Structure formats: structure tokens, C-alpha cells
């Protein structure tokens, strides 16, 4: 069931991507905001309760619907429900249009437009960064987005499907990331969540993403230059401010021999100051336009590899 659900969801998402501004995301955004307003008291224990209500309640509801469909109507309807959940929680097309637009602008020689697109995508200040830095930042953002929108969901869904809890894993992973991003932002009415709830959201995200990030890095190493990717993982992951993201980016740099890391871009609303939060760079070639194609190939080879692995596990389970 897990293999066919993942495959169908990926095909459907490629054929008809979910629009960024859709009713489901709007509902989830309203849900996370309402729970925070109602239960956020600025106390750590209460913050974990708030996080649990926000994340676990929808995940349990998704799991309940799965069980009702499987036991009441049959496994085909359960598969369709899984495909629907994965269609919402997993997908390249939720971010790839940004990557494609920047690549096309650089291919046309329009660096100014590429800078504008990069700034609009990540809500950052880009200034007059050179072409190589545009490429570098676009690749870093895209690789992390591919992990969060594809490989992280893929991992938890596939792993928990072994014990029949695949939908739970997909929903928990996606909502954990979604809630963290929303609670770290200022809401439309100017209010913000408490620092305690923000800290809980960050801690929960780092925990949920710890293993998937390393599996993504391992996948990149297997389909890329394994020795260089593992060397980057061991020796250069600490160059990046976030531990989980650092593992992925360091492995990516080694897998395709590209220099990643360095000066970080400031948020659009941040005051001017030191923008070197990204730390030192990894070894490798200076980022060039040709690296975009290498990154795309790396990601798709990894997707195919994990799909084949899930298919083999599914066959083994059926035969056994």
C-alpha cells in the first residue's frame, strides 16, 4: 500500500500541483493560529500541550479516517485516502517553480531578475550578490525544500507504514514544519506567539527532522559521490547554523563537488548587520548554472532509489 500511495501521489502532484494558496493550507494556517491564541500561555508545559493539540489531533484524525476506510470499505479506499494525504503533504511542485524561475532568469542572463525572485521566494535581502552566490543560495534553499517537502514526508510515511501508521507520520512531519514556520512569524493582526511556544516548536521540529535529514544525506551520498559526500558530512556539516540542514547541505556539496555555505542572507525585516551566519564554505567548485541540472538529477535519483527500496520491502512483505 505504501509504495502505490507514494507513487500515485508523486505522479498526481507532477500532473496537477497543489496551488500555494489553497483552501487546505488556509484551513491549517487558521487552525495553528487559533490553537496558539487559545492555549498559548507562555508556560513550557502548556506550550507542549499547545503543540500536541495542533499536531497530534489532525494526525490522529487522519489515522482514524484511514482505519475506517480500510475496515469498512476496503484497502482500495484506504489507498485513495493515503494518496490524498500525500498529495497535500508531499510534492516537488510546492517549491520547484521558484527554483525553475531563478534558473531561467540566470540562463537568460538577467541577474537582476534572479535576485528579485530569490528575495521574493525567501523574503530576504539580496543586495548585489554576484551570480555565483545567486546560484549557491538557490541551490541551498532548493535542496532543503526538497528534503522538507519530499524526503522527510517520504521517510516518516514509509517507515511508519511498516506498522500501519503511515498517514500519521506524514501528517505529523508536515504539520510540525508548518506550525514552526507559522509560529515564528508575525500574524496578520500583528500578534506573535510566546517565545516559549516558539522554542518548543523549534525543539519539536529538530527532533522530528533529525533522522530524516540524515537519511536524505545518505541518499545523496549513495547516488552521488559517496566518499566525498560522507567526508563533507563528517567534516563540514558544522559550517552551517542548523544541525539537520547542515548535514544535508554538506552531503550535497560533496555529492556533486560544489561549494556551499558562507555568508547568509538577511531576512527582509531584519536590521542591517553581520550577514555571515552561514559560517565557512565547504570545499568544491564555485557554483555555476550547470550545477542546477546536477542538483535536479541528484534529487530525482534519490527519489527513485527510495521508491525502489519501498517497492522491494513491499514485495518482501507480500511474499512473506
Amino acid at each position: 500500500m505504501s509504495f502505490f500511495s507514494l507513487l500515485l501521489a508523486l505522479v498526481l502532484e507532477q500532473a496537477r500541483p497543489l496551488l500555494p494558496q489553497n483552501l487546505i493550507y488556509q484551513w491549517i494556517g487558521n487552525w495553528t493560529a487559533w490553537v496558539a491564541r487559545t492555549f498559548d500561555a507562555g508556560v513550557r508545559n502548556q506550550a507542549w500541550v499547545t503543540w500536541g493539540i495542533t499536531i497530534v489531533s489532525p494526525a490522529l484524525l487522519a489515522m482514524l479516517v484511514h482505519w475506517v476506510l480500510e475496515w469498512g470499505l476496503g484497502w482500495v479506499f484506504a489507498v485513495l485516502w493515503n494518496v490524498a494525504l500525500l498529495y497535500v503533504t508531499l510534492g516537488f511542485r510546492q517549491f520547484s517553480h521558484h527554483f525553475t524561475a531563478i534558473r531561467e532568469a540566470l540562463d537568460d542572463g538577467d541577474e537582476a531578475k534572479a535576485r528579485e525572485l530569490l528575495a521574493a521566494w525567501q523574503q530576504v535581502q539580496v543586495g548585489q550578490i554576484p551570480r555565483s552566490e545567486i546560484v549557491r543560495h538557490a541551490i541551498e534553499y532548493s535542496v532543503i525544500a526538497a528534503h522538507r517537502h519530499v524526503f522527510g514526508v517520504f521517510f516518516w510515511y514509509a517507515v511508519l507504514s511498516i506498522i500501519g501508521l503511515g498517514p500519521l507520520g506524514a501528517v505529523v512531519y508536515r504539520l510540525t514544519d508548518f506550525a514552526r514556520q507559522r509560529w515564528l512569524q508575525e500574524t496578520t493582526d500583528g500578534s506573535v506567539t510566546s517565545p516559549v511556544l516558539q522554542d518548543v516548536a523549534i525543539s519539536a521540529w529538530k527532533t522530528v527532522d533529525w533522522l530524516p535529514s540524515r537519511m536524505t544525506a545518505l541518499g545523496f551520498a549513495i547516488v552521488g559521490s559517496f566518499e566525498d559526500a560522507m567526508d563533507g558530512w563528517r567534516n563540514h556539516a558544522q559550517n552551517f547554523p542548523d544541525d539537520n540542514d547542515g548535514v544535508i547541505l554538506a552531503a550535497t556539496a560533496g555529492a556533486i563537488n560544489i561549494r556551499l555555505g558562507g555568508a547568509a542572507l538577511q531576512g527582509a525585516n531584519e536590521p542591517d548587520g553581520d550577514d555571515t551566519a552561514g559560517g565557512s564554505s565547504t570545499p568544491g567548485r564555485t557554483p555555476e548554472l550547470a550545477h542546477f541540472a546536477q542538483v535536479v538529477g541528484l534529487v530525482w535519483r534519490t527519489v527513485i532509489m527510495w521508491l525502489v527500496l519501498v517497492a522491494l520491502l513491499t514485495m518482501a512483505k507480500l511474499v512473506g
Side-chain angles (χ1 to χ4, degrees):
M1 181 183 296
S2 59
F3 169 74
F4 290 110
S5 298
L6 286 165
L7 180 61
L8 289 173
L10 285 171
V11 171
L12 179 62
E13 199 268 341
Q14 286 295 309
R16 193 174 182 83
L18 193 65
L19 296 175
Q21 302 298 327
N22 60 81
L23 292 177
I24 297 175
Y25 283 1
Q26 291 177 17
W27 181 86
I28 295 174
N30 293 336
W31 165 252
T32 56
W34 178 82
V35 175
R37 287 196 307 268
T38 305
F39 297 98
D40 181 19
V43 180
R44 193 164 189 82
N45 290 340
Q46 187 71 16
W48 278 112
V49 171
T50 304
W51 181 89
I53 293 173
T54 305
I55 308 302
V56 178
S57 298
L60 290 177
L61 178 61
M63 201 68 240
L64 178 61
V65 172
H66 170 82
W67 286 329
V68 169
L69 291 174
E70 184 174 16
W71 295 339
L73 298 177
W75 68 270
V76 174
F77 290 91
V79 168
L80 293 176
W81 173 245
N82 279 240
V83 171
L85 282 177
L86 289 170
Y87 176 69
V88 173
T89 58
L90 177 153
F92 287 103
R93 300 292 289 275
Q94 297 182 29
F95 69 91
S96 62
H97 56 286
H98 298 291
F99 176 85
T100 302
I102 293 172
R103 182 179 63 183
E104 290 176 349
L106 289 174
D107 194 38
D108 293 337
D110 193 346
E111 295 182 12
K113 182 179 179 181
R115 293 189 191 97
E116 292 177 3
L117 292 169
L118 180 62
W121 177 19
Q122 293 294 322
Q123 296 298 299
V124 291
Q125 302 174 17
V126 299
Q128 294 298 315
I129 59 174
R131 182 185 181 90
S132 63
E133 284 296 281
I134 300 173
V135 174
R136 194 259 293 185
H137 285 294
I139 288 176
E140 290 180 357
Y141 291 137
S142 298
V143 168
I144 295 303
H147 165 69
R148 295 177 182 175
H149 286 278
V150 181
F151 297 115
V153 176
F154 195 115
F155 172 82
W156 280 120
Y157 177 82
V159 168
L160 292 187
S161 290
I162 298 174
I163 56 175
L165 298 176
L168 185 74
V171 174
V172 166
Y173 184 87
R174 172 53 56 236
L175 283 183
T176 300
D177 184 29
F178 190 93
R180 174 187 63 89
Q181 294 184 56
R182 285 304 179 97
W183 288 341
L184 291 177
Q185 296 174 352
E186 188 176 278
T187 60
T188 55
D189 61 2
S191 62
V192 294
T193 56
S194 70
V196 176
L197 181 57
Q198 292 179 355
D199 182 61
V200 164
I202 293 171
S203 298
W205 167 246
K206 288 182 177 179
T207 300
V208 170
D209 193 47
W210 190 89
L211 189 54
S213 63
R214 281 144 183 84
M215 294 305 295
T216 296
L218 179 61
F220 288 170
I222 293 173
V223 302
S225 175
F226 185 84
E227 185 177 349
D228 291 335
M230 297 305 294
D231 178 73
W233 182 343
R234 289 192 302 267
N235 299 315
H236 303 289
Q238 67 275 12
N239 293 349
F240 301 89
D242 184 275
D243 179 56
N244 293 339
D245 292 352
V247 168
I248 297 169
L249 293 173
T252 302
I256 60 175
N257 188 25
I258 184 176
R259 177 181 56 79
L260 297 178
L265 296 175
Q266 295 175 330
N269 298 319
E270 294 178 6
D272 293 337
D274 184 15
D275 65 348
T276 58
S280 58
S281 303
T282 66
R285 294 175 296 170
T286 300
E288 301 173 351
L289 189 60
H291 284 115
F292 280 137
Q294 291 183 292
V295 169
V296 172
L298 185 75
V299 169
W300 274 111
R301 290 196 302 273
T302 306
V303 169
I304 294 172
M305 181 191 71
W306 290 126
L307 275 175
V308 170
L309 179 60
V310 172
L312 292 174
L313 292 174
T314 301
M315 292 176 60
K317 185 177 180 180
L318 291 174
V319 173

